[in-house]
PDB file of all heavy atoms in Angstrom:
ATOM      1  N   THR A 138      67.181 -30.515 -23.353  1.00 96.00           N
ATOM      2  CA  THR A 138      66.029 -30.105 -22.556  1.00 96.00           C
ATOM      3  C   THR A 138      64.898 -31.104 -22.752  1.00 96.00           C
ATOM      4  O   THR A 138      64.795 -31.741 -23.793  1.00 96.00           O
ATOM      5  CB  THR A 138      65.523 -28.712 -22.969  1.00 96.00           C
ATOM      6  OG1 THR A 138      65.129 -28.734 -24.353  1.00 96.00           O
ATOM      7  CG2 THR A 138      66.597 -27.665 -22.759  1.00 96.00           C
ATOM      8  N   ARG A 139      64.042 -31.205 -21.757  1.00 96.00           N
ATOM      9  CA  ARG A 139      62.864 -32.070 -21.865  1.00 96.00           C
ATOM     10  C   ARG A 139      61.911 -31.526 -22.922  1.00 96.00           C
ATOM     11  O   ARG A 139      61.356 -32.282 -23.725  1.00 96.00           O
ATOM     12  CB  ARG A 139      62.171 -32.124 -20.503  1.00 96.00           C
ATOM     13  CG  ARG A 139      60.835 -32.871 -20.503  1.00 96.00           C
ATOM     14  CD  ARG A 139      60.164 -32.752 -19.138  1.00 96.00           C
ATOM     15  NE  ARG A 139      58.830 -33.337 -19.150  1.00 96.00           N
ATOM     16  CZ  ARG A 139      58.553 -34.603 -18.856  1.00 96.00           C
ATOM     17  NH1 ARG A 139      59.528 -35.434 -18.543  1.00 96.00           N
ATOM     18  NH2 ARG A 139      57.308 -35.051 -18.885  1.00 96.00           N
ATOM     19  N   ALA A 140      61.738 -30.215 -22.940  1.00 98.00           N
ATOM     20  CA  ALA A 140      60.803 -29.565 -23.842  1.00 98.00           C
ATOM     21  C   ALA A 140      61.401 -29.409 -25.237  1.00 98.00           C
ATOM     22  O   ALA A 140      62.585 -29.704 -25.473  1.00 98.00           O
ATOM     23  CB  ALA A 140      60.420 -28.194 -23.284  1.00 98.00           C
ATOM     24  N   ASN A 141      60.581 -28.915 -26.157  1.00 98.00           N
ATOM     25  CA  ASN A 141      61.081 -28.600 -27.495  1.00 98.00           C
ATOM     26  C   ASN A 141      61.762 -27.228 -27.465  1.00 98.00           C
ATOM     27  O   ASN A 141      61.804 -26.574 -26.411  1.00 98.00           O
ATOM     28  CB  ASN A 141      59.951 -28.693 -28.525  1.00 98.00           C
ATOM     29  CG  ASN A 141      59.008 -27.501 -28.488  1.00 98.00           C
ATOM     30  OD1 ASN A 141      59.012 -26.706 -27.551  1.00 98.00           O
ATOM     31  ND2 ASN A 141      58.172 -27.369 -29.504  1.00 98.00           N
ATOM     32  N   PRO A 142      62.316 -26.742 -28.566  1.00 97.00           N
ATOM     33  CA  PRO A 142      63.026 -25.457 -28.526  1.00 97.00           C
ATOM     34  C   PRO A 142      62.173 -24.271 -28.104  1.00 97.00           C
ATOM     35  O   PRO A 142      62.711 -23.235 -27.698  1.00 97.00           O
ATOM     36  CB  PRO A 142      63.518 -25.294 -29.971  1.00 97.00           C
ATOM     37  CG  PRO A 142      63.681 -26.686 -30.472  1.00 97.00           C
ATOM     38  CD  PRO A 142      62.550 -27.452 -29.848  1.00 97.00           C
ATOM     39  N   ASN A 143      60.850 -24.385 -28.170  1.00 97.00           N
ATOM     40  CA  ASN A 143      59.964 -23.308 -27.711  1.00 97.00           C
ATOM     41  C   ASN A 143      59.642 -23.407 -26.231  1.00 97.00           C
ATOM     42  O   ASN A 143      58.851 -22.609 -25.716  1.00 97.00           O
ATOM     43  CB  ASN A 143      58.660 -23.322 -28.508  1.00 97.00           C
ATOM     44  CG  ASN A 143      58.869 -22.999 -29.971  1.00 97.00           C
ATOM     45  OD1 ASN A 143      59.794 -22.264 -30.326  1.00 97.00           O
ATOM     46  ND2 ASN A 143      58.023 -23.548 -30.832  1.00 97.00           N
ATOM     47  N   GLY A 144      60.226 -24.401 -25.550  1.00 98.00           N
ATOM     48  CA  GLY A 144      59.975 -24.567 -24.124  1.00 98.00           C
ATOM     49  C   GLY A 144      58.700 -25.316 -23.806  1.00 98.00           C
ATOM     50  O   GLY A 144      58.248 -25.328 -22.655  1.00 98.00           O
ATOM     51  N   VAL A 145      58.098 -25.968 -24.814  1.00 98.00           N
ATOM     52  CA  VAL A 145      56.826 -26.674 -24.625  1.00 98.00           C
ATOM     53  C   VAL A 145      57.079 -28.166 -24.451  1.00 98.00           C
ATOM     54  O   VAL A 145      57.793 -28.791 -25.245  1.00 98.00           O
ATOM     55  CB  VAL A 145      55.887 -26.436 -25.823  1.00 98.00           C
ATOM     56  CG1 VAL A 145      54.605 -27.254 -25.678  1.00 98.00           C
ATOM     57  CG2 VAL A 145      55.560 -24.955 -25.964  1.00 98.00           C
ATOM     58  N   ASP A 146      56.491 -28.741 -23.419  1.00 98.00           N
ATOM     59  CA  ASP A 146      56.527 -30.190 -23.196  1.00 98.00           C
ATOM     60  C   ASP A 146      55.536 -30.831 -24.164  1.00 98.00           C
ATOM     61  O   ASP A 146      54.321 -30.633 -24.050  1.00 98.00           O
ATOM     62  CB  ASP A 146      56.151 -30.497 -21.752  1.00 98.00           C
ATOM     63  CG  ASP A 146      56.333 -31.961 -21.380  1.00 98.00           C
ATOM     64  OD1 ASP A 146      56.151 -32.834 -22.268  1.00 98.00           O
ATOM     65  OD2 ASP A 146      56.635 -32.252 -20.216  1.00 98.00           O
ATOM     66  N   LEU A 147      56.033 -31.615 -25.094  1.00 98.00           N
ATOM     67  CA  LEU A 147      55.183 -32.168 -26.142  1.00 98.00           C
ATOM     68  C   LEU A 147      54.165 -33.175 -25.611  1.00 98.00           C
ATOM     69  O   LEU A 147      53.161 -33.444 -26.271  1.00 98.00           O
ATOM     70  CB  LEU A 147      56.042 -32.820 -27.230  1.00 98.00           C
ATOM     71  CG  LEU A 147      56.995 -31.867 -27.967  1.00 98.00           C
ATOM     72  CD1 LEU A 147      57.833 -32.631 -28.996  1.00 98.00           C
ATOM     73  CD2 LEU A 147      56.228 -30.739 -28.650  1.00 98.00           C
ATOM     74  N   MET A 148      54.402 -33.712 -24.417  1.00 98.00           N
ATOM     75  CA  MET A 148      53.432 -34.629 -23.816  1.00 98.00           C
ATOM     76  C   MET A 148      52.408 -33.907 -22.931  1.00 98.00           C
ATOM     77  O   MET A 148      51.626 -34.539 -22.216  1.00 98.00           O
ATOM     78  CB  MET A 148      54.148 -35.704 -22.987  1.00 98.00           C
ATOM     79  CG  MET A 148      54.891 -36.729 -23.820  1.00 98.00           C
ATOM     80  SD  MET A 148      53.847 -37.604 -25.014  1.00 98.00           S
ATOM     81  CE  MET A 148      52.767 -38.523 -23.933  1.00 98.00           C
ATOM     82  N   ARG A 149      52.408 -32.576 -22.975  1.00 98.00           N
ATOM     83  CA  ARG A 149      51.397 -31.775 -22.271  1.00 98.00           C
ATOM     84  C   ARG A 149      50.728 -30.792 -23.237  1.00 98.00           C
ATOM     85  O   ARG A 149      50.030 -29.886 -22.809  1.00 98.00           O
ATOM     86  CB  ARG A 149      52.043 -30.967 -21.122  1.00 98.00           C
ATOM     87  CG  ARG A 149      52.844 -31.773 -20.117  1.00 98.00           C
ATOM     88  CD  ARG A 149      51.974 -32.639 -19.241  1.00 98.00           C
ATOM     89  NE  ARG A 149      52.735 -33.252 -18.164  1.00 98.00           N
ATOM     90  CZ  ARG A 149      53.420 -34.377 -18.265  1.00 98.00           C
ATOM     91  NH1 ARG A 149      53.447 -35.034 -19.416  1.00 98.00           N
ATOM     92  NH2 ARG A 149      54.085 -34.865 -17.235  1.00 98.00           N
ATOM     93  N   ASN A 150      50.927 -30.972 -24.537  1.00 98.00           N
ATOM     94  CA  ASN A 150      50.634 -29.940 -25.527  1.00 98.00           C
ATOM     95  C   ASN A 150      49.346 -30.165 -26.312  1.00 98.00           C
ATOM     96  O   ASN A 150      48.882 -29.263 -27.006  1.00 98.00           O
ATOM     97  CB  ASN A 150      51.831 -29.823 -26.480  1.00 98.00           C
ATOM     98  CG  ASN A 150      51.672 -28.779 -27.546  1.00 98.00           C
ATOM     99  OD1 ASN A 150      51.835 -29.051 -28.737  1.00 98.00           O
ATOM    100  ND2 ASN A 150      51.349 -27.556 -27.154  1.00 98.00           N
ATOM    101  N   ALA A 151      48.748 -31.340 -26.218  1.00 98.00           N
ATOM    102  CA  ALA A 151      47.533 -31.622 -26.993  1.00 98.00           C
ATOM    103  C   ALA A 151      46.337 -30.891 -26.392  1.00 98.00           C
ATOM    104  O   ALA A 151      46.306 -30.601 -25.189  1.00 98.00           O
ATOM    105  CB  ALA A 151      47.275 -33.122 -27.029  1.00 98.00           C
ATOM    106  N   PRO A 152      45.314 -30.579 -27.203  1.00 97.00           N
ATOM    107  CA  PRO A 152      44.136 -29.853 -26.707  1.00 97.00           C
ATOM    108  C   PRO A 152      43.176 -30.768 -25.963  1.00 97.00           C
ATOM    109  O   PRO A 152      42.090 -31.114 -26.448  1.00 97.00           O
ATOM    110  CB  PRO A 152      43.518 -29.304 -27.995  1.00 97.00           C
ATOM    111  CG  PRO A 152      43.904 -30.281 -29.051  1.00 97.00           C
ATOM    112  CD  PRO A 152      45.275 -30.770 -28.666  1.00 97.00           C
ATOM    113  N   ILE A 153      43.575 -31.171 -24.782  1.00 97.00           N
ATOM    114  CA  ILE A 153      42.742 -32.065 -23.976  1.00 97.00           C
ATOM    115  C   ILE A 153      42.963 -31.721 -22.504  1.00 97.00           C
ATOM    116  O   ILE A 153      44.102 -31.514 -22.071  1.00 97.00           O
ATOM    117  CB  ILE A 153      43.076 -33.546 -24.276  1.00 97.00           C
ATOM    118  CG1 ILE A 153      42.162 -34.489 -23.528  1.00 97.00           C
ATOM    119  CG2 ILE A 153      44.525 -33.868 -23.962  1.00 97.00           C
ATOM    120  CD1 ILE A 153      42.273 -35.927 -24.007  1.00 97.00           C
ATOM    121  N   GLU A 154      41.870 -31.600 -21.761  1.00 97.00           N
ATOM    122  CA  GLU A 154      41.924 -31.190 -20.361  1.00 97.00           C
ATOM    123  C   GLU A 154      41.688 -32.387 -19.448  1.00 97.00           C
ATOM    124  O   GLU A 154      40.820 -33.219 -19.708  1.00 97.00           O
ATOM    125  CB  GLU A 154      40.872 -30.120 -20.081  1.00 97.00           C
ATOM    126  CG  GLU A 154      41.012 -28.853 -20.912  1.00 97.00           C
ATOM    127  CD  GLU A 154      42.289 -28.099 -20.608  1.00 97.00           C
ATOM    128  OE1 GLU A 154      42.635 -27.981 -19.420  1.00 97.00           O
ATOM    129  OE2 GLU A 154      42.934 -27.618 -21.567  1.00 97.00           O
ATOM    130  N   ALA A 155      42.446 -32.455 -18.389  1.00 97.00           N
ATOM    131  CA  ALA A 155      42.289 -33.537 -17.415  1.00 97.00           C
ATOM    132  C   ALA A 155      41.012 -33.348 -16.605  1.00 97.00           C
ATOM    133  O   ALA A 155      40.551 -32.224 -16.398  1.00 97.00           O
ATOM    134  CB  ALA A 155      43.490 -33.591 -16.489  1.00 97.00           C
ATOM    135  N   HIS A 156      40.460 -34.449 -16.149  1.00 96.00           N
ATOM    136  CA  HIS A 156      39.283 -34.430 -15.282  1.00 96.00           C
ATOM    137  C   HIS A 156      39.749 -34.359 -13.831  1.00 96.00           C
ATOM    138  O   HIS A 156      40.517 -35.206 -13.371  1.00 96.00           O
ATOM    139  CB  HIS A 156      38.441 -35.690 -15.485  1.00 96.00           C
ATOM    140  CG  HIS A 156      37.925 -35.832 -16.886  1.00 96.00           C
ATOM    141  ND1 HIS A 156      37.341 -37.001 -17.345  1.00 96.00           N
ATOM    142  CD2 HIS A 156      37.904 -34.974 -17.936  1.00 96.00           C
ATOM    143  CE1 HIS A 156      36.984 -36.837 -18.610  1.00 96.00           C
ATOM    144  NE2 HIS A 156      37.318 -35.624 -18.987  1.00 96.00           N
ATOM    145  N   GLY A 157      39.285 -33.351 -13.109  1.00 94.00           N
ATOM    146  CA  GLY A 157      39.669 -33.231 -11.713  1.00 94.00           C
ATOM    147  C   GLY A 157      41.045 -32.612 -11.544  1.00 94.00           C
ATOM    148  O   GLY A 157      41.599 -31.998 -12.464  1.00 94.00           O
ATOM    149  N   LYS A 158      41.605 -32.793 -10.369  1.00 94.00           N
ATOM    150  CA  LYS A 158      42.887 -32.181 -10.035  1.00 94.00           C
ATOM    151  C   LYS A 158      44.050 -32.942 -10.664  1.00 94.00           C
ATOM    152  O   LYS A 158      44.007 -34.161 -10.811  1.00 94.00           O
ATOM    153  CB  LYS A 158      43.067 -32.131  -8.520  1.00 94.00           C
ATOM    154  CG  LYS A 158      42.098 -31.203  -7.805  1.00 94.00           C
ATOM    155  CD  LYS A 158      42.380 -31.162  -6.307  1.00 94.00           C
ATOM    156  CE  LYS A 158      41.420 -30.206  -5.601  1.00 94.00           C
ATOM    157  NZ  LYS A 158      41.690 -30.147  -4.142  1.00 94.00           N
ATOM    158  N   VAL A 159      45.093 -32.185 -11.017  1.00 96.00           N
ATOM    159  CA  VAL A 159      46.353 -32.781 -11.482  1.00 96.00           C
ATOM    160  C   VAL A 159      47.469 -32.269 -10.587  1.00 96.00           C
ATOM    161  O   VAL A 159      47.322 -31.228  -9.943  1.00 96.00           O
ATOM    162  CB  VAL A 159      46.637 -32.420 -12.956  1.00 96.00           C
ATOM    163  CG1 VAL A 159      45.526 -32.898 -13.866  1.00 96.00           C
ATOM    164  CG2 VAL A 159      46.855 -30.923 -13.121  1.00 96.00           C
ATOM    165  N   PRO A 160      48.608 -32.980 -10.503  1.00 97.00           N
ATOM    166  CA  PRO A 160      49.719 -32.496  -9.686  1.00 97.00           C
ATOM    167  C   PRO A 160      50.192 -31.126 -10.169  1.00 97.00           C
ATOM    168  O   PRO A 160      50.283 -30.879 -11.374  1.00 97.00           O
ATOM    169  CB  PRO A 160      50.797 -33.562  -9.886  1.00 97.00           C
ATOM    170  CG  PRO A 160      50.075 -34.771 -10.367  1.00 97.00           C
ATOM    171  CD  PRO A 160      48.899 -34.279 -11.138  1.00 97.00           C
ATOM    172  N   PHE A 161      50.507 -30.244  -9.234  1.00 97.00           N
ATOM    173  CA  PHE A 161      50.975 -28.901  -9.571  1.00 97.00           C
ATOM    174  C   PHE A 161      52.218 -28.981 -10.453  1.00 97.00           C
ATOM    175  O   PHE A 161      53.152 -29.731 -10.161  1.00 97.00           O
ATOM    176  CB  PHE A 161      51.280 -28.124  -8.284  1.00 97.00           C
ATOM    177  CG  PHE A 161      51.786 -26.732  -8.525  1.00 97.00           C
ATOM    178  CD1 PHE A 161      50.992 -25.789  -9.166  1.00 97.00           C
ATOM    179  CD2 PHE A 161      53.068 -26.368  -8.137  1.00 97.00           C
ATOM    180  CE1 PHE A 161      51.455 -24.494  -9.393  1.00 97.00           C
ATOM    181  CE2 PHE A 161      53.542 -25.088  -8.364  1.00 97.00           C
ATOM    182  CZ  PHE A 161      52.730 -24.139  -8.993  1.00 97.00           C
TER     183      PHE A 161
END
């Protein structure tokens, strides 16, 4: 799987928010 065993994408997991819109 792309994600870790908990179903979390490790490259989307850090506490940082994007500025503006991101792809759905």
